[in-house]
Amino acid sequence: MTAAPVSSTAALTARFDAHLMPNYGTPPIALVRGEGRRVWDADGTRYLDLVAGIAVSALGHAHPALVKAVSDQVATIAHTSNLYVHEREVELAERLTALLGSDGGDTRVFFANSGTEANEAALKLVRRAAGTGRPRVVSTVDGFHGRTSGALALTGKPAIRDPFGPFGLDVVFVPYGDADALRAAVDTTCAAVFVEPTQGEAGIVEAPEGYLRAVRSICDATGAAFVLDEIQSGIGRTGRWFAHQQAGVLPDVLTLAKGLGGGLPIGACIGFGRFATAFAKGDHGSTFGGNPVSCAAALAVLATIEADALLDAVTANGDLLARGIAAAGHPLVAGVRGTGLWRGIRLTAPEAPRVQAAAAAHGFLVNAVAPDVIRIAPPLTITPGEIGEFTAALPAILRDATDEETT
Ligand SMILES: *Cc1c(COP(=O)(O)O)cnc(C)c1O
């Protein structure tokens, strides 16, 4: 079953450092294979995966439905380009439209290959719809929308944004979750508001109750487009298909990626109402976007979430996870926030990297998303028993993380 690794972690990371750009630093672990919620590194160590490739591997690793869908599709036709239509992409657009509760009459989908590309499409779409009289876009402080120039211009994290400006886009940043600040910033010169339902990369930072409804009404009052970035929150992560369904609002434009392909690269920009048809022929495109293999993977993800009733499981297991974390009762834990299987463990000190390392030493992959926040975003298929393994080990992980600090 296990193919012999060709390189040890040390040997592989040395080659990585010699040949790949230093933008990721040196990854501490070399992963070789996965099965379900388990992954194995190049030295044969097994981990319980509570990161899922940053909220991507929704069905875990090597899920039979994903393997079959991708294998069958790649053996049938792997790529067509958008010069030709193929059934998987149409089926996926129909399926997403149905999940969004629309009758399809005023909903249209554009497929990209990643989250940032989905937001680039959204940015072009809202500017096309707005014409020239609305040069401004409003986004949120600490929000994350991607790394390409347009999406980066909308990203409110100075450390990753500032070295690359100016962007040639008039973006105003307002504090996240503050409806009054948003109301003050949005006027009729504003083409769009970009916002996440919960800020993922900021550390699973939730908005106050009613915030998305306020965004909706501010956009309605000014004619600005409401673009909701559900790249991290969408496709079941919160226990709903989409986080906005909990809030009871529909945006004008919705962007998706991460969990959609279950590990295959795909993004989607979905327009509602007048935004469904704001692109004219020739306005946008992608050679790989909506490729048959990624669409087949996404269809398998959606079918499995439905067939295995994973939305209910996400809610129940997410609650179990949050209770288990709270029960750790360690002074380093300030609390846990988030919804479903998308949780942030807030720490009382900026020790998240130490906690991440201590967790790995105990056989758990977790993510230090911020200096004082650990992100837990496991596959949606995680079991109560697996959650119990982690929450049982958490006190020892926290003890080791704080012990190391004093040595
Ligand atoms: C990850 C993420 C993106 C960027 O997606 P990529 O696929 O990395 O380009 C954009 N917005 C949000 C909210 C994300 O979490």
Side-chain angles (χ1 to χ4, degrees):
M1 181 83 211
T2 314
V6 262
S7 307
S8 67
T9 299
L12 195 58
T13 51
R15 284 162 60 200
F16 178 99
D17 285 345
H19 297 284
L20 284 106
M21 289 189 183
N23 55 301
Y24 295 115
T26 305
I29 294 172
L31 292 182
V32 173
R33 70 182 183 96
E35 199 182 310
R37 278 69 60 197
R38 311 283 175 181
V39 291
W40 284 261
D41 75 10
D43 305 324
T45 304
R46 190 183 83 155
Y47 302 90
L48 182 66
D49 182 6
L50 302 170
V51 179
I54 317 185
V56 165
S57 305
L59 304 185
H61 303 278
H63 191 287
L66 191 71
V67 171
K68 180 166 176 21
V70 168
S71 307
D72 287 355
Q73 189 59 51
V74 81
T76 304
I77 188 165
H79 177 73
T80 58
S81 87
N82 289 294
L83 297 174
Y84 311 98
V85 64
H86 64 86
E87 189 155 2
R88 296 292 86 76
E89 121 187 279
V90 178
E91 239 183 298
L92 182 57
E94 288 169 347
R95 194 77 183 87
L96 288 171
T97 300
L99 292 176
L100 285 160
S102 160
D103 62 6
D106 61 351
T107 303
R108 299 286 179 88
V109 183
F110 170 83
F111 287 117
N113 309 287
S114 64
T116 202
E117 286 177 65
N119 281 334
E120 294 290 339
L123 185 58
K124 282 180 69 178
L125 186 74
V126 296
R127 296 178 96 190
R128 191 70 157 108
T132 53
R134 291 175 176 263
R136 176 162 296 175
V137 179
V138 174
S139 188
T140 59
V141 174
D142 248 1
F144 183 79
H145 298 292
R147 301 282 200 154
T148 54
S149 295
L152 186 58
L154 300 166
T155 288
K157 288 169 162 285
I160 64 174
R161 177 184 195 274
D162 288 356
F164 301 100
F167 297 98
L169 185 69
D170 177 8
V171 185
V172 171
F173 293 98
V174 296
Y176 182 70
D178 183 339
D180 291 336
L182 187 68
R183 198 170 290 110
V186 179
D187 59 22
T188 55
T189 69
C190 180
V193 174
F194 277 72
V195 68
E196 298 157 85
T198 284
Q199 288 185 323
E201 295 306 305
I204 325 292
V205 175
E206 295 167 294
E209 170 72 30
Y211 183 61
L212 293 187
R213 283 196 302 278
V215 177
R216 177 71 276 171
S217 75
I218 291 163
C219 288
D220 286 343
T222 54
F226 175 7
V227 183
L228 189 64
D229 181 340
E230 288 227 39
I231 287 165
Q232 194 160 157
S233 59
I235 316 298
R237 179 66 39 203
T238 66
R240 303 268 184 153
W241 283 108
F242 308 100
H244 70 263
Q245 293 174 331
Q246 171 73 38
V249 295
L250 194 66
D252 296 309
V253 181
L254 177 70
T255 55
L256 302 172
K258 292 197 164 83
L260 178 58
L264 275 284
I266 186 167
C269 170
I270 303 175
F272 304 98
R274 69 190 173 96
F275 297 93
T277 51
F279 276 150
K281 184 178 175 181
D283 273 353
H284 198 46
S286 166
T287 301
F288 294 113
N291 85 83
V293 179
S294 290
C295 288
L299 285 164
V301 168
L302 300 180
T304 303
I305 290 174
E306 186 159 64
D308 294 354
L310 290 181
L311 298 182
D312 289 343
V314 166
T315 299
N317 290 327
D319 289 346
L320 186 68
L321 175 65
R323 282 199 306 275
I325 294 166
H330 191 280
L332 188 58
V333 175
V336 54
R337 63 191 174 201
T339 318
L341 289 173
W342 198 33
R343 300 285 175 165
I345 306 176
R346 282 190 303 120
L347 306 179
T348 51
E351 301 294 356
R354 282 178 194 279
V355 174
Q356 177 183 307
H362 282 261
F364 300 94
L365 298 185
V366 303
N367 168 239
V369 65
D372 58 353
V373 184
I374 291 288
R375 170 169 46 192
I376 309 286
L380 308 185
T381 53
I382 195 167
T383 65
E386 289 162 343
I387 288 169
E389 283 175 40
F390 172 66
T391 54
L394 189 56
I397 292 169
L398 294 166
R399 191 184 56 227
D400 287 0
T402 41
D403 279 356
E404 280 160 26
E405 186 187 4
T406 55
T407 55

